[in-house]
Amino acid sequence: MTGDMWFIILPDGESGAAAARLLRPWATEVVAHHSGRPWLLGSWPDGHVTVGAAGVRRLAVIGRCPVTAGALSARAGQVRDLADVEGAARGLAGSFHLVASVDGRVRARGSASGVRRLFHARVGGVVVAADRSDRLASAAAGSAAAGAGVDERLLALHLLASPPPYPLDDRCVWAGVQGLPAHDCLLIEPDGRARTQRWWSPPDPELTLVQGAPAVREALVAAVNACTAGGGTVSADLSGGLDSTSLCFLAAREQARRRPGGARLVTFRWQSLDPGNDDTAWAVRAGDMLPGVEHVTPSRDEWPLWYSGLTRLTAGTVPTDEPGPWVRDSARIATTAQLMTGRGSRLHMMGGGGDELFTALPPHLHDYVRSHPLAAWARIRTHRAFQHWPLWQLLRQLADRRTFGQWMAAWADSLTEPEPPPPVPGRRAPSTAWGADLRMPSWATPDAVRAVQSLLREAAETAEPLAPRRGQHAALMCAQTGARGVRQLDHVFSREGPAYAAPYLDDSVLEAALAIRVPERSTPGRYKPVLGAAMEGIVPDSVLRRQTKGEYSVDFHVSLRRNRAALVELFDDSQLARAGLIDTAAIRTNLLGVHPDPAALRPLSPSLGAEIWLRSHAASTRPPSTATTATITGAP
């Protein structure tokens, strides 16, 4: 699968048909409402969009889902009005957008994780929705509604973090285009008016590990089956970590059963430059337990370093609709896609989302000391014994009673403050706040800092956390941040070769994991206990017993040293600097400095992503000079 994929959702009215005419220059496919007017317009490969029909009702599943048109038509028959849509779709596995057309009204949503996003804007006087914000920005530029300009305040936000942190993660860098929160759906009337409505809320984390692990197992099996159901060849990362390893064993189990239409599995891993990184040893051990599976490992000469191949990006167009830190890995992505395409892979799986869902992040301790103080202090003593957390620093954090909004306002005030030194050299207690107190990079200009501060302060006035307690909020926030990164990687990877999938971020897996009590997602002395319990009998016990995690600072230092000159040259002619957002002298000083701790250059990847995206965005949104011929498809 190569080339850009996209779709736009149109209202069922004459004004929607007028908007469709503005969008036709890019389209190769059109699906009609029952009325015959355009409903879905875009460009996608065979099998990416499945439509079911029952009278005047239409359901469309767009993405990775093994449902057939006949089965989806049967589900469409259960729909009487838009309120019935979620019930009709219940039980569908995979990762997809869900769109309905019922008696002239439209309902559309992405996924709860955020891997599948939606944006909306006014085009030709009506609200239309799309899965790519750049398409909407270009369409709006061709109408009287808005222009396809970049909101520089939002671009500055991508210097702080990319994707932006919650609750600013749904803010779109394109002026005139709005992101739809993952928990909301969009309702569009025939006259082009629209409103949002909540369709999803996270489950209450009430189940014990024993109660919840079977549902996690069932959801993961269904998620991987949704990847392999199309047959052919499917590839997967096998890094040696528990997340990717579990996916490989799930896919191999289906291959071993040789079900009709099942897929052949190819695994992929790369070798760290650090001989002390034990990911390689664990990957080899797991691979030896996967008979009949082809394993691909590029040599170190074949495998690019981070920050390689940047000239390739600056000379062309970036395939993502917003900036992202993936550019650091662009040469590696291209190499992986090439190698997997050469093995015939149609889809590549990765383990993103496993860390976020199957570990209890430090903010859960803030909740735990209030709900179960004795158990919490026992856990804290164990952590302090192994990780040497300074007690008084931890106690101050646990005593913090700020609301989410108060924490955000304080964060805005501290954007340029240096990180406080650890009370004991080399030792620091983890933060138990609502989120990470990220700092603006030292090369951000005062204008960029003020822009981000204003965004944070505005959001602090009304924003609510994703869940009432910090632990569940942090888990969902990190999962959705990871999902937005996976979305971008899918755009990049599928342009190069196979589609890209992160089964842990399928909504069914997300819900099953979030339903388990937060403290039980981590147990001192046991790594990822929920995932381990869910994979018992599928992943060998010797693999499940791994307690370590690979560390890649050596790879960072070697990559930076060898590509330092190219990075300096890139920022010496910076578009971000022309926009008044970064100081080229400051970033040059940082790039040429010595950084024993890679965390000191954490902001480099977001800044690099914003720089390269800004250079290419104009070319990536120009409409073709002549319209292509769209294939108009009605409901089956």
Side-chain angles (χ1 to χ4, degrees):
M1 186 191 311
T2 57
D4 289 338
M5 292 185 297
W6 60 277
F7 66 87
I8 283 181
I9 304 163
L10 298 160
D12 189 7
E14 290 300 329
S15 55
R21 288 192 288 272
L22 292 169
L23 298 160
R24 285 293 177 91
W26 292 283
T28 59
E29 307 289 337
V30 179
V31 177
H33 289 282
H34 175 72
S35 66
R37 299 185 185 96
W39 175 32
L40 305 174
L41 184 151
S43 179
W44 56 77
D46 291 343
H48 189 68
V49 177
T50 303
V51 179
V56 298
R57 302 177 293 281
R58 301 285 188 273
L59 286 180
V61 168
I62 306 172
R64 173 171 50 83
C65 181
V67 70
T68 64
L72 196 57
S73 294
R75 289 173 179 266
Q78 304 171 21
V79 176
R80 293 294 173 263
D81 56 41
L82 294 182
D84 297 330
V85 170
E86 284 305 319
R90 187 172 294 116
L92 291 178
S95 175
F96 52 85
H97 292 87
L98 180 64
V99 190
S101 174
V102 179
D103 291 327
R105 303 178 69 214
V106 172
R107 180 188 188 274
R109 56 114 167 142
S111 60
S113 68
V115 171
R116 309 289 176 175
R117 294 190 67 190
L118 276 180
F119 304 87
H120 55 100
R122 297 193 70 83
V123 177
V126 300
V127 174
V128 300
D131 68 324
R132 289 187 63 109
S133 57
D134 51 357
R135 294 300 184 192
L136 278 184
S138 297
S143 72
V150 173
D151 185 331
E152 290 188 357
R153 283 207 312 165
L154 271 299
L155 191 58
L157 183 63
H158 279 267
L159 302 179
L160 175 67
S162 191
Y166 176 84
L168 298 170
D169 50 345
D170 291 313
R171 298 289 295 272
C172 182
V173 73
W174 293 103
V177 179
Q178 299 181 53
L180 186 69
H183 56 251
D184 282 351
C185 63
L186 187 69
L187 306 177
I188 310 176
E189 303 298 333
D191 61 5
R193 292 178 296 112
R195 62 185 177 90
T196 61
Q197 183 180 75
R198 193 175 187 104
W199 75 272
W200 184 83
S201 294
D204 293 328
E206 297 177 339
L207 301 180
T208 65
L209 185 153
V210 172
Q211 292 170 328
V216 172
R217 180 190 184 100
E218 181 181 352
L220 273 173
V221 168
V224 172
N225 287 352
C227 295
T228 62
T233 298
V234 168
S235 54
D237 289 341
L238 180 57
S239 67
L242 184 56
D243 303 327
S244 65
T245 300
S246 296
L247 298 180
C248 289
F249 276 95
L250 285 166
R253 187 177 72 154
E254 294 305 306
Q255 175 179 299
R257 291 177 177 180
R258 299 190 182 278
R259 291 182 174 177
R264 181 178 79 95
L265 176 65
V266 175
T267 72
F268 175 82
R269 68 174 175 87
W270 58 275
Q271 304 174 75
S272 170
L273 298 175
D274 183 357
N277 188 328
D278 64 347
D279 270 357
T280 295
W282 282 96
V284 170
R285 179 181 301 180
D288 290 343
M289 301 177 187
L290 291 166
V293 174
E294 181 183 359
H295 304 292
V296 177
T297 306
S299 68
R300 287 195 172 97
D301 291 337
E302 294 177 288
W303 189 238
L305 297 171
W306 286 324
Y307 308 116
S308 298
L310 297 180
T311 54
R312 174 176 174 265
L313 287 177
T314 56
T317 58
V318 172
T320 58
D321 56 355
E322 61 183 358
W326 62 269
V327 296
R328 182 198 71 175
D329 303 281
S330 59
R332 292 184 168 192
I333 294 169
T335 300
T336 306
Q338 181 182 17
L339 289 171
M340 295 301 95
T341 299
R343 267 63 178 188
S345 176
R346 61 172 179 80
L347 180 144
H348 188 79
M349 295 189 295
M350 57 90 75
D355 287 340
E356 294 85 345
L357 295 180
F358 298 115
T359 56
L361 300 172
H364 90 278
L365 294 172
H366 190 274
D367 311 321
Y368 204 26
V369 296
R370 287 160 174 78
S371 61
H372 296 83
L374 295 179
W377 284 114
R379 172 167 295 191
I380 288 170
R381 281 196 300 271
T382 302
H383 280 302
R384 290 193 65 239
F386 284 98
Q387 300 178 51
H388 309 292
W389 293 346
L391 179 59
W392 287 110
Q393 184 188 31
L394 179 62
L395 290 175
R396 283 195 301 271
Q397 294 194 57
L398 293 174
D400 175 33
R401 294 183 176 273
R402 288 176 298 178
T403 65
F404 181 67
Q406 290 168 340
W407 167 77
M408 280 198 68
W411 177 23
D413 293 337
S414 66
L415 282 181
T416 58
E417 293 179 2
E419 293 280 355
V424 179
R427 299 180 184 178
R428 188 187 299 273
S431 172
T432 63
W434 286 99
D437 294 320
L438 301 175
R439 300 297 196 266
M440 289 292 283
S442 60
W443 51 83
T445 63
D447 284 346
V449 173
R450 284 191 290 268
V452 175
Q453 285 177 325
S454 69
L455 288 168
L456 290 173
R457 287 167 180 155
E458 290 169 11
E461 293 177 1
T462 58
E464 295 292 336
L466 291 168
R469 293 192 171 187
R470 296 186 183 190
Q472 185 79 326
H473 164 83
L476 182 52
M477 179 182 64
C478 290
Q480 291 184 340
T481 298
R484 281 161 168 75
V486 168
R487 173 182 177 268
Q488 290 199 339
L489 288 172
D490 184 27
H491 288 167
V492 179
F493 208 90
S494 60
R495 175 185 266 196
E496 301 279 355
Y500 199 72
Y504 289 110
L505 294 171
D506 286 10
D507 284 356
S508 59
V509 181
L510 179 77
E511 290 187 333
L514 291 178
I516 295 174
R517 295 172 184 170
V518 181
E520 298 197 31
R521 298 174 200 168
S522 287
T523 302
R526 187 179 179 191
Y527 186 59
K528 295 185 178 178
V530 174
L531 182 58
M535 292 295 98
E536 285 181 2
I538 297 175
V539 178
D541 289 344
S542 60
V543 175
L544 292 177
R545 285 196 293 268
R546 183 181 182 185
Q547 300 293 318
T548 60
K549 187 173 179 64
E551 201 273 335
Y552 291 87
S553 59
V554 170
D555 298 80
F556 166 80
H557 288 299
V558 173
S559 298
L560 180 62
R561 184 172 66 249
R562 294 188 185 175
N563 291 293
R564 193 190 310 267
L567 288 166
V568 170
E569 182 180 358
L570 178 74
F571 282 106
D572 277 348
D573 183 31
S574 170
Q575 292 289 330
L576 289 171
R578 290 192 181 98
L581 299 177
I582 70 167
D583 181 326
T584 55
I587 196 168
R588 169 186 272 269
T589 299
N590 274 269
L591 286 170
L592 295 176
V594 178
H595 303 284
D597 182 0
L601 274 181
R602 178 204 61 79
L604 176 59
S605 289
S607 296
L608 182 63
E611 174 66 35
I612 288 179
W613 181 86
L614 188 58
R615 289 173 179 234
S616 69
H617 84 270
S620 68
T621 57
R622 291 193 191 102
S625 57
T626 57
T628 54
T629 301
T631 302
I632 301 178
T633 306

